[in-house]
Amino acid sequence: MHRRFLKSLATMMGAATLIVAPMVLLAPSAHAAVIELNEDNADDAVPTVQGPGGTNSVTYWVNYLADKGIEGATCVKEDGAGKTWTIPPAPEGTEYVLVTSKAANENALEEGQFPNQVWWAPKAAEGNIVTAVAGKNISHIIWCTVPTKTTPPPSTTPPVTTPPASTPPVVDTDRVATTGSGAGLGLFGAAAALLVGAGAIVLGRRRQGAHR
């Protein structure tokens, strides 16, 4: 009996292990994996363009992005990065769109190797490591950002409603009020007038009798 219980318990524990193990394997990592950006995963390679607006200037890369249909970019140049450069957080309110590295001693590159390696977002992202072509030292880094796209919140202003026009009540101005204290005074005045009239008639008849 004891052996059967232990055997059943071992079977149940083995089944639990089989269930839990895939769950551990499928659990996502808390942080995205860091990517090393090199010539093997570069999105573009650009030969050197000399001059004030050449590839060593931020103006070139702003125009480069504009030619790709991306307007409003801001590019920053950082010199002397050594062998590698880690992409820092983008300035507040912006997001990365491009990072490019320029190899030092570009004249030592082999034919077909271009000194300016280019990586687009999402490769151009915070935490990824930038290198130069052929393992050379980095002469400089130029990184470009654009304003973060935001959707304005919906309006919370209530709609304006116009109340329906009210029709004033119809007042009959030809009708004399017959109720209330005013009506009582009117009746009293009429009765007084009748009494005065009757007294005048009686007085007049007496005067007529006196002259006969």
Side-chain angles (χ1 to χ4, degrees):
M1 182 70 179
H2 184 65
R3 290 181 179 178
R4 289 182 181 179
F5 173 76
L6 292 177
K7 185 176 181 181
S8 299
L9 182 60
T11 303
M12 292 174 63
M13 291 179 64
T17 302
L18 292 175
I19 294 173
V20 173
M23 294 177 66
V24 173
L25 293 175
L26 293 174
S29 174
H31 302 282
V34 173
I35 302 174
E36 181 184 283
L37 305 182
N38 52 51
E39 66 266 33
D40 294 331
N41 55 24
D43 297 310
D44 196 5
V46 179
T48 298
V49 176
Q50 302 292 345
T55 48
N56 290 344
S57 70
V58 297
T59 302
Y60 177 92
W61 296 102
V62 170
N63 294 332
Y64 174 92
L65 290 170
D67 291 341
K68 305 289 185 180
I70 299 176
E71 303 287 346
T74 299
C75 297
V76 178
K77 181 178 180 180
E78 293 192 17
D79 292 318
K83 284 284 186 181
T84 63
W85 181 78
T86 302
I87 302 177
E92 184 177 358
T94 68
E95 58 188 7
Y96 282 106
V97 64
L98 175 148
V99 173
T100 177
S101 69
K102 163 71 180 299
N105 193 17
E106 60 181 288
N107 294 328
L109 294 174
E110 297 179 2
E111 185 178 357
Q113 289 181 328
F114 295 132
N116 301 286
Q117 302 293 304
V118 181
W119 299 270
W120 291 81
K123 295 175 187 175
E126 176 186 349
N128 287 343
I129 299 172
V130 180
T131 65
V133 63
K136 302 289 185 181
N137 284 338
I138 299 172
S139 171
H140 64 255
I141 294 285
I142 294 178
W143 50 270
C144 305
T145 58
V146 292
T148 304
K149 296 178 182 179
T150 57
T151 303
S155 175
T156 57
T157 304
V160 178
T161 56
T162 303
S166 59
T167 304
V170 177
V171 179
D172 187 357
T173 58
D174 296 331
R175 185 174 179 179
V176 178
T178 58
T179 61
S181 59
L185 291 175
L187 292 175
F188 178 78
L194 289 174
L195 291 174
V196 172
I201 293 172
V202 172
L203 181 60
R205 286 181 180 179
R206 287 180 178 179
R207 287 178 179 175
Q208 290 178 1
H211 290 291
R212 286 181 182 178

